[in-house]
Amino acid sequence: MDDVYILGIESSCDETSASIVKNGTDEIATVILSQIDVHTKYGGVVPEIASRCHIENITIVLEKLFDDANVTIDDITAIAVTYGPGLIGSLLVGLETAKTLALIYNKPLVPVHHIAGHIYANKLVSKFNFPLITLVVSGGHTEIVLMDEEYSFKKIGSTKDDAIGEAYDKVARVIGLPYPGGPAIDNLASTGNDTYDLPYPLDDDTYDFSFSGIKSAVINLVHNEQQRGNEVNKADLATTFQNRVVSVLTKKVIKAALEYNVKQILLSGGVAASKGLRGELSKLCEKNNIELVAPPIKYCTDNATMIACAGYYAYKKGIRAGMELNAVSTKELTREER
Ligand code: KG4
Ligand code: ZN
């Protein structure tokens, strides 16, 4: 059988990225140009600036990709692109680039849901063992998804308000840590003690989550301490916050794995880089005889490698888009994703 080379393009937020992956699992080359430095001074991503940066970066990224890779555009089987969800102005840059390349070089265009990409980043390290459960934890999503076959997604629970990454970033901002706050909180959390009185967020029998309550609790606690003239112990607060959210995330995903009788859990999304979350979940998985798979740290946050991996499986399923494909800012990951 001929090898399938997918060119993936991702520009949904503040990373401009392109990648070539062979047969859905073998990374040939990847370029990720992050705009973190540009947005840090604003404390978060500024959408208008993000889309302008994507425009400046996209051709540089593609040129570097083909310089690095030992393949040419002629070797590419299909072009996979993130069409949503994300920031519209940002998405459009990658999308129009992919459409233009597909048109000029007469290649099939494969639309990829950003979250399908995060899930399929796990193909870089492991085979999927169906049925499986994946915990999606990113800046925009917190979901438990059941997969009983390749490229089929059934959401069994999700956040009712903030995404977990959003909560990490907000808590970091309140205690004076730079954007993006997730890695900063995660690093501090390994140095402190669990001393603060914070609630366990939506610690119930459902598979849903809620992080706005614990976020508000941290904001109130910091303001109260400031009014009393007390210093907040940042490391202890980071430790307590991370312990609470990790406790509920891991408890619910293990419960789902047991209820649906799955033997494999995939971690997906930017917060999958958290050492605290990985550590606790791997302990619980070992205890319950479940295999835990997590992407390489570099491919937990946004990148085009995951889009090319997902794009291969979407391509194999016959998922295609025409030149009318448009970007969408919000869209559920559906069972028959297309
Ligand atoms: O998946 P991602 O790159 O973008 C979205 O699709 O949203 O996720 C970004 C999120 C940010 O909220 C960031 O703070 C968080 O992932 N994050 C982390 C870590 N690394 C990135 N959160 C906790 N611990 C980390 N090590
Ligand atoms: Zn993402």
Side-chain angles (χ1 to χ4, degrees):
M1 215 174 63
D2 284 349
D3 287 330
V4 173
Y5 289 88
I6 303 286
L7 166 63
I9 298 179
E10 154 68 38
S11 69
S12 66
C13 191
D14 59 343
E15 267 89 26
T16 319
S17 181
S19 176
I20 298 169
V21 170
K22 185 172 94 177
N23 299 332
T25 54
D26 299 348
E27 180 191 9
I28 303 295
T30 298
V31 179
I32 306 171
L33 223 165
S34 174
Q35 305 170 11
I36 283 182
D37 293 350
V38 180
H39 299 287
T40 297
K41 56 179 173 287
Y42 304 103
V45 178
V46 182
E48 178 61 25
I49 296 176
S51 40
R52 282 166 194 261
C53 287
H54 284 304
I55 292 171
E56 283 169 16
N57 295 342
I58 190 77
T59 45
I60 299 168
V61 165
L62 280 164
E63 273 173 14
K64 168 105 175 61
L65 178 74
F66 281 99
D67 280 351
D68 292 352
N70 206 6
V71 295
T72 68
I73 189 82
D74 293 334
D75 301 315
I76 299 295
T77 316
I79 299 173
V81 63
T82 310
Y83 69 95
L87 302 170
I88 282 290
S90 291
L91 285 163
L92 281 172
V93 179
L95 187 65
E96 291 307 317
T97 306
K99 280 159 74 170
T100 307
L101 291 174
L103 192 65
I104 295 174
Y105 295 103
N106 197 23
K107 306 282 181 191
L109 182 66
V110 180
V112 174
H113 190 288
H114 183 73
I115 296 304
H118 275 303
I119 294 170
Y120 273 82
N122 285 290
K123 284 280 185 185
L124 293 166
V125 291
S126 174
K127 288 197 161 65
F128 287 7
N129 181 7
F130 300 108
L132 62 82
I133 287 281
T134 169
L135 176 65
V136 179
V137 279
S138 75
H141 293 257
T142 312
E143 293 169 5
I144 297 180
V145 176
L146 173 68
M147 293 177 70
D148 40 31
E149 59 176 318
E150 209 68 85
Y151 225 74
S152 167
F153 311 95
K154 187 177 174 213
K155 190 171 81 180
I156 60 170
S158 63
T159 182
K160 292 174 172 301
D161 41 55
D162 295 355
I164 180 66
E166 234 177 311
Y168 264 94
D169 292 341
K170 185 70 197 207
V171 165
R173 197 166 166 168
V174 168
I175 62 175
L177 300 173
Y179 172 83
I185 295 268
D186 185 35
N187 287 333
L188 256 191
S190 58
T191 68
N193 297 305
D194 188 332
T195 55
Y196 283 102
D197 182 20
L198 291 178
Y200 285 85
L202 200 64
D203 188 12
D204 64 6
D205 285 340
T206 72
Y207 294 123
D208 290 328
F209 301 100
S210 166
F211 298 107
S212 66
I214 189 165
K215 180 187 77 180
S216 302
V218 172
I219 295 170
N220 290 340
L221 189 151
V222 171
H223 288 168
N224 284 339
E225 293 294 333
Q226 279 168 350
Q227 276 163 5
R228 293 197 187 102
N230 296 336
E231 281 272 321
V232 170
N233 184 318
K234 292 181 186 182
D236 288 353
L237 192 50
T239 305
T240 313
F241 168 77
Q242 176 147 286
N243 281 356
R244 296 297 176 277
V245 296
V246 163
S247 161
V248 174
L249 285 166
T250 53
K251 180 175 150 185
K252 292 196 175 188
V253 73
I254 293 285
K255 177 173 147 53
L258 296 176
E259 183 183 330
Y260 289 91
N261 201 19
V262 312
K263 289 275 164 260
Q264 192 182 46
I265 292 177
L266 313 179
L267 256 185
S268 319
V271 184
S274 158
K275 295 185 285 291
L277 177 59
R278 281 178 181 237
E280 182 61 19
L281 193 53
S282 76
K283 263 193 254 160
L284 291 173
C285 280
E286 207 177 304
K287 202 168 139 196
N288 288 283
N289 201 18
I290 298 166
E291 183 196 6
L292 175 65
V293 180
I297 298 285
K298 182 179 170 200
Y299 295 129
C300 287
T301 45
D302 292 348
N303 65 86
T305 323
M306 66 185 200
I307 302 303
C309 292
Y312 170 83
Y313 293 91
Y315 174 78
K316 283 280 178 188
K317 243 190 154 173
I319 297 172
R320 305 282 186 277
M323 288 301 125
E324 70 289 347
L325 179 65
N326 209 348
V328 288
S329 58
T330 55
K331 185 182 178 292
E332 291 279 315
L333 182 63
T334 50
R335 196 166 178 86
E336 288 301 313
E337 180 54 33
R338 52 189 70 239

